[in-house]
Amino acid sequence: MKITVDLSFKTILRWALGFLLIWAALSKIANPQEFYGNVLGYSLPLPHFFLRLVAVSLPWLEILCGFMLLSKYRLEAALAWTIVLCAIFVVATGQAWARGLEISCGCFNLELLGFGPAEMKFFQSVGFAFFRAIALLAAACYLFRDYVRPPLAIAK
Amino acid sequence: MREQLTTTIQGLVPTAGLMLAASLLLGIAYNSSSPLGVRYTASETKRVSVNVSPPVTIPQTGYFNQTLSMAFEELPGTMPAGAQPVVPVAPTVNPSLAPTAKPGFPELTWAQVKPLVGTSKAILVDARLASAYQAGHIPGAVSLPINFTDAEMAAFKSTYKPDSPLIVYCGSASCHMAHDLAQRLASFHGFTNVKVMPGGYVEYRQAESQTAAAGGK
């Protein structure tokens, strides 16, 4: 039996997005209170009740999306949620950056990569997180357009 | 084209809804069972009595000994009859504690903070959630969780003056609540003397256990 592995750009991008989401989710699930603190640090004009709900559920939504992207199970729904999540990250980090808040984005646990304090400060800054969120949003939109295109293309 | 797109999106709604429901259930179950999870109840509001009550006034000429104050508070009846309140001591400048040249808030290690706390020259502020504070904290630290309410901040501000020397800490070096709280205290609440102990509670525990081990030899 011959097993073929599709190593197209689309597949690699899907894997990368899936692994990133799982990594981000595990970083948050490992210390939920810290993530809740990060969420509050954004000083969003939303009630604490809602922010707590976000802190509780968002990492699990990320991990579901990550595994579904890797396994291609219900890919369209996973990509749709990924787009929504990335759009939220863009808005949250963008407003924090614009307001000059010196907070960490709370996105990924970078200690595993052995970064020093200076690198950690840069990679966890809201400015860097803003551009990273835009890149992830663009990748998710590209994949969504590509995977959901067939029925739309038929309609043409 | 628009109809096709609408149909596609409508087709996603049931699965997307299921994903959201599953995330909520998983998140609530996990956080309820984890000792450090975010509780989705109003129990966090109980921390008010733990944080800054009874209110403490910082003397104009020095600093209040928060460590001893908290010790008496935790052990009622152990204070000998007729004992006098802690006498404020005049602050002395320790050259090794000069703020670092890094941008943002000056960062201190536990080795630098310990002599300050011991001589009551600083107020340690625990930025972690109330449940983590109650599970264990640096002696003498007051709890001001990052998710403080307006009432809690009002109580904190009525207790501590804007120029009070605050040292904020949280869990460990990977925790950012201390910096986030320091930012909020300085930017939005007018506190002008805010420092951060990035090593947090883990650094304190490690340092103290090493000290205890060295002392036991």
Side-chain angles (χ1 to χ4, degrees):
Chain A
M1 192 173 86
K2 190 179 179 183
I3 298 173
T4 55
V5 180
D6 175 20
L7 284 178
S8 64
F9 174 71
K10 194 171 73 171
T11 306
I12 292 171
L13 192 62
R14 179 169 56 82
W15 287 351
L17 205 54
F19 278 118
L20 271 177
L21 283 170
I22 291 171
W23 179 19
L26 291 178
S27 302
K28 296 174 179 96
I29 289 169
N31 197 338
Q33 292 192 0
E34 188 178 321
F35 175 58
Y36 180 41
N38 291 138
V39 172
L40 293 167
Y42 282 97
S43 302
L44 294 167
L46 295 167
H48 282 194
F49 176 86
F50 180 75
L51 294 177
R52 195 179 293 221
L53 189 62
V54 169
V56 164
S57 59
L58 189 140
W60 294 93
L61 193 54
E62 279 185 328
I63 212 165
L64 277 179
C65 288
F67 280 117
M68 287 165 77
L69 281 176
L70 292 180
S71 63
K72 283 185 83 172
Y73 177 74
R74 305 270 181 165
L75 194 56
E76 294 85 354
L79 282 169
W81 264 122
T82 306
I83 289 171
V84 171
L85 290 175
C86 290
I88 292 170
F89 297 153
V90 168
V91 172
T93 54
Q95 65 87 30
W97 195 37
R99 292 164 66 193
L101 297 181
E102 284 185 30
I103 57 171
S104 61
C105 70
C107 311
F108 297 96
N109 184 350
L110 298 171
E111 286 184 330
L112 295 173
L113 301 179
F115 286 140
E119 292 88 357
M120 289 268 282
K121 197 162 189 171
F122 172 72
F123 285 115
Q124 294 204 326
S125 66
V126 285
F128 181 80
F130 174 67
F131 289 109
R132 183 179 54 206
I134 287 178
L136 292 177
L137 178 62
C141 287
Y142 170 79
L143 286 175
F144 185 83
R145 179 178 157 274
D146 212 68
Y147 279 108
V148 184
R149 189 170 53 182
L152 297 179
I154 292 166
K156 283 180 183 176
Chain B
M1 179 78 178
R2 179 176 283 182
E3 285 178 8
Q4 287 290 330
L5 188 62
T6 308
T7 308
T8 305
I9 291 171
Q10 282 176 346
L12 296 177
V13 169
T15 311
L18 272 176
M19 288 173 70
L20 183 62
S23 305
L24 268 172
L25 287 175
L26 284 168
I28 291 171
Y30 173 76
N31 282 275
S32 301
S33 59
S34 168
L36 286 177
V38 177
R39 300 286 184 273
Y40 205 66
T41 64
S43 62
E44 298 287 353
T45 54
K46 289 176 184 171
R47 63 177 172 257
V48 176
S49 59
V50 178
N51 294 343
V52 291
S53 179
V56 192
T57 305
I58 299 174
Q60 295 281 345
T61 54
Y63 298 90
F64 190 83
N65 192 328
Q66 188 72 29
T67 304
L68 291 178
S69 168
M70 291 296 285
F72 289 149
E73 197 176 292
E74 288 169 359
L75 300 169
T78 55
M79 188 174 175
Q84 294 298 311
V86 177
V87 178
V89 293
T92 55
V93 177
N94 185 343
S96 66
L97 300 178
T100 57
K102 289 179 186 174
F105 299 98
E107 295 182 347
L108 304 176
T109 63
W110 170 242
Q112 292 172 306
V113 172
K114 191 176 179 181
L116 280 181
V117 176
T119 53
S120 307
K121 292 175 185 171
I123 296 148
L124 268 178
V125 180
D126 192 320
R128 299 173 300 159
L129 299 192
S131 50
Y133 176 84
Q134 286 162 356
H137 59 269
I138 299 176
V142 294
S143 175
L144 183 66
I146 186 78
N147 62 335
F148 59 79
T149 61
D150 291 343
E152 287 167 346
M153 177 46 73
F156 188 84
K157 287 167 87 170
S158 68
T159 306
Y160 301 110
K161 292 190 298 183
D163 61 346
S164 298
L166 306 179
I167 299 176
V168 189
Y169 75 91
C170 56
S172 66
S174 65
C175 163
H176 305 281
M177 284 187 271
H179 280 94
D180 293 347
L181 182 63
Q183 171 76 34
R184 296 175 76 185
L185 285 169
S187 301
F188 302 125
H189 300 286
F191 286 92
T192 56
N193 190 1
V194 184
K195 297 183 177 71
V196 170
M197 188 178 100
Y201 188 59
V202 167
E203 185 190 3
Y204 157 76
R205 290 285 299 270
Q206 287 175 344
E208 291 306 294
S209 62
Q210 285 169 3
T211 305
K217 286 178 183 175

mmCIF file of all heavy atoms in Angstrom, chain A residues 37-52:
data_model
loop_
_atom_site.group_PDB
_atom_site.id
_atom_site.type_symbol
_atom_site.label_atom_id
_atom_site.label_comp_id
_atom_site.label_asym_id
_atom_site.label_seq_id
_atom_site.Cartn_x
_atom_site.Cartn_y
_atom_site.Cartn_z
ATOM 1 N N GLY A 37 -5.836 36.998 33.791
ATOM 2 C CA GLY A 37 -5.170 38.258 34.102
ATOM 3 C C GLY A 37 -4.741 38.991 32.842
ATOM 4 O O GLY A 37 -4.866 40.214 32.737
ATOM 5 N N ASN A 38 -4.235 38.230 31.873
ATOM 6 C CA ASN A 38 -3.849 38.843 30.600
ATOM 7 C C ASN A 38 -5.054 39.477 29.908
ATOM 8 O O ASN A 38 -4.971 40.586 29.365
ATOM 9 C CB ASN A 38 -3.230 37.797 29.662
ATOM 10 C CG ASN A 38 -1.873 37.318 30.144
ATOM 11 O OD1 ASN A 38 -1.572 36.138 30.099
ATOM 12 N ND2 ASN A 38 -1.050 38.227 30.627
ATOM 13 N N VAL A 39 -6.172 38.752 29.943
ATOM 14 C CA VAL A 39 -7.398 39.276 29.306
ATOM 15 C C VAL A 39 -7.814 40.592 29.974
ATOM 16 O O VAL A 39 -8.143 41.575 29.300
ATOM 17 C CB VAL A 39 -8.537 38.230 29.395
ATOM 18 C CG1 VAL A 39 -9.862 38.826 28.928
ATOM 19 C CG2 VAL A 39 -8.206 37.011 28.546
ATOM 20 N N LEU A 40 -7.748 40.603 31.306
ATOM 21 C CA LEU A 40 -8.119 41.828 32.026
ATOM 22 C C LEU A 40 -7.139 42.956 31.745
ATOM 23 O O LEU A 40 -7.501 44.130 31.743
ATOM 24 C CB LEU A 40 -8.173 41.548 33.531
ATOM 25 C CG LEU A 40 -9.278 40.604 33.979
ATOM 26 C CD1 LEU A 40 -9.047 40.152 35.405
ATOM 27 C CD2 LEU A 40 -10.629 41.279 33.862
ATOM 28 N N GLY A 41 -5.882 42.575 31.501
ATOM 29 C CA GLY A 41 -4.863 43.578 31.220
ATOM 30 C C GLY A 41 -5.146 44.392 29.974
ATOM 31 O O GLY A 41 -4.640 45.510 29.829
ATOM 32 N N TYR A 42 -5.944 43.841 29.068
ATOM 33 C CA TYR A 42 -6.278 44.586 27.851
ATOM 34 C C TYR A 42 -7.216 45.765 28.132
ATOM 35 O O TYR A 42 -7.419 46.599 27.251
ATOM 36 C CB TYR A 42 -6.942 43.655 26.826
ATOM 37 C CG TYR A 42 -5.954 42.775 26.091
ATOM 38 C CD1 TYR A 42 -5.711 41.471 26.481
ATOM 39 C CD2 TYR A 42 -5.260 43.252 24.994
ATOM 40 C CE1 TYR A 42 -4.802 40.665 25.820
ATOM 41 C CE2 TYR A 42 -4.352 42.462 24.312
ATOM 42 C CZ TYR A 42 -4.127 41.166 24.739
ATOM 43 O OH TYR A 42 -3.222 40.384 24.068
ATOM 44 N N SER A 43 -7.767 45.796 29.334
ATOM 45 C CA SER A 43 -8.665 46.890 29.750
ATOM 46 C C SER A 43 -9.771 47.134 28.734
ATOM 47 O O SER A 43 -10.047 48.270 28.336
ATOM 48 C CB SER A 43 -7.865 48.185 29.953
ATOM 49 O OG SER A 43 -6.853 47.994 30.904
ATOM 50 N N LEU A 44 -10.384 46.055 28.303
ATOM 51 C CA LEU A 44 -11.475 46.186 27.330
ATOM 52 C C LEU A 44 -12.739 46.665 28.045
ATOM 53 O O LEU A 44 -12.986 46.274 29.195
ATOM 54 C CB LEU A 44 -11.746 44.833 26.651
ATOM 55 C CG LEU A 44 -10.615 44.306 25.777
ATOM 56 C CD1 LEU A 44 -10.847 42.838 25.426
ATOM 57 C CD2 LEU A 44 -10.473 45.130 24.510
ATOM 58 N N PRO A 45 -13.519 47.489 27.390
ATOM 59 C CA PRO A 45 -14.741 48.001 28.042
ATOM 60 C C PRO A 45 -15.853 46.960 28.042
ATOM 61 O O PRO A 45 -16.915 47.160 27.457
ATOM 62 C CB PRO A 45 -15.097 49.226 27.185
ATOM 63 C CG PRO A 45 -14.552 48.902 25.838
ATOM 64 C CD PRO A 45 -13.332 48.045 26.046
ATOM 65 N N LEU A 46 -15.579 45.826 28.662
ATOM 66 C CA LEU A 46 -16.554 44.742 28.718
ATOM 67 C C LEU A 46 -16.702 44.300 30.176
ATOM 68 O O LEU A 46 -15.745 44.404 30.947
ATOM 69 C CB LEU A 46 -16.077 43.554 27.866
ATOM 70 C CG LEU A 46 -15.971 43.807 26.359
ATOM 71 C CD1 LEU A 46 -15.209 42.688 25.680
ATOM 72 C CD2 LEU A 46 -17.358 43.943 25.742
ATOM 73 N N PRO A 47 -17.878 43.799 30.552
ATOM 74 C CA PRO A 47 -18.060 43.369 31.951
ATOM 75 C C PRO A 47 -17.158 42.182 32.290
ATOM 76 O O PRO A 47 -16.860 41.351 31.430
ATOM 77 C CB PRO A 47 -19.537 42.977 32.004
ATOM 78 C CG PRO A 47 -19.964 42.797 30.599
ATOM 79 C CD PRO A 47 -19.091 43.649 29.750
ATOM 80 N N HIS A 48 -16.728 42.134 33.561
ATOM 81 C CA HIS A 48 -15.851 41.045 34.006
ATOM 82 C C HIS A 48 -16.503 39.679 33.807
ATOM 83 O O HIS A 48 -15.814 38.696 33.546
ATOM 84 C CB HIS A 48 -15.484 41.245 35.472
ATOM 85 C CG HIS A 48 -14.413 42.279 35.660
ATOM 86 N ND1 HIS A 48 -13.715 42.432 36.834
ATOM 87 C CD2 HIS A 48 -13.903 43.204 34.809
ATOM 88 C CE1 HIS A 48 -12.836 43.410 36.702
ATOM 89 N NE2 HIS A 48 -12.946 43.890 35.487
ATOM 90 N N PHE A 49 -17.819 39.653 33.917
ATOM 91 C CA PHE A 49 -18.555 38.394 33.712
ATOM 92 C C PHE A 49 -18.240 37.833 32.329
ATOM 93 O O PHE A 49 -17.914 36.654 32.164
ATOM 94 C CB PHE A 49 -20.051 38.682 33.855
ATOM 95 C CG PHE A 49 -20.950 37.499 33.573
ATOM 96 C CD1 PHE A 49 -21.242 36.594 34.577
ATOM 97 C CD2 PHE A 49 -21.482 37.301 32.319
ATOM 98 C CE1 PHE A 49 -22.066 35.504 34.319
ATOM 99 C CE2 PHE A 49 -22.302 36.223 32.054
ATOM 100 C CZ PHE A 49 -22.602 35.322 33.053
ATOM 101 N N PHE A 50 -18.303 38.691 31.331
ATOM 102 C CA PHE A 50 -18.064 38.258 29.957
ATOM 103 C C PHE A 50 -16.586 37.902 29.755
ATOM 104 O O PHE A 50 -16.265 36.901 29.100
ATOM 105 C CB PHE A 50 -18.478 39.374 28.991
ATOM 106 C CG PHE A 50 -18.266 39.023 27.542
ATOM 107 C CD1 PHE A 50 -19.125 38.145 26.897
ATOM 108 C CD2 PHE A 50 -17.203 39.551 26.834
ATOM 109 C CE1 PHE A 50 -18.918 37.807 25.571
ATOM 110 C CE2 PHE A 50 -16.992 39.223 25.507
ATOM 111 C CZ PHE A 50 -17.854 38.352 24.867
ATOM 112 N N LEU A 51 -15.694 38.706 30.319
ATOM 113 C CA LEU A 51 -14.261 38.440 30.152
ATOM 114 C C LEU A 51 -13.881 37.115 30.809
ATOM 115 O O LEU A 51 -13.020 36.387 30.303
ATOM 116 C CB LEU A 51 -13.444 39.587 30.758
ATOM 117 C CG LEU A 51 -13.603 40.939 30.056
ATOM 118 C CD1 LEU A 51 -12.821 42.020 30.782
ATOM 119 C CD2 LEU A 51 -13.144 40.858 28.598
ATOM 120 N N ARG A 52 -14.526 36.814 31.927
ATOM 121 C CA ARG A 52 -14.256 35.544 32.598
ATOM 122 C C ARG A 52 -14.735 34.385 31.723
ATOM 123 O O ARG A 52 -14.051 33.365 31.603
ATOM 124 C CB ARG A 52 -14.972 35.528 33.948
ATOM 125 C CG ARG A 52 -14.496 34.453 34.885
ATOM 126 C CD ARG A 52 -15.235 34.546 36.190
ATOM 127 N NE ARG A 52 -14.914 35.759 36.920
ATOM 128 C CZ ARG A 52 -14.721 35.812 38.231
ATOM 129 N NH1 ARG A 52 -14.807 34.711 38.932
ATOM 130 N NH2 ARG A 52 -14.444 36.932 38.833
#
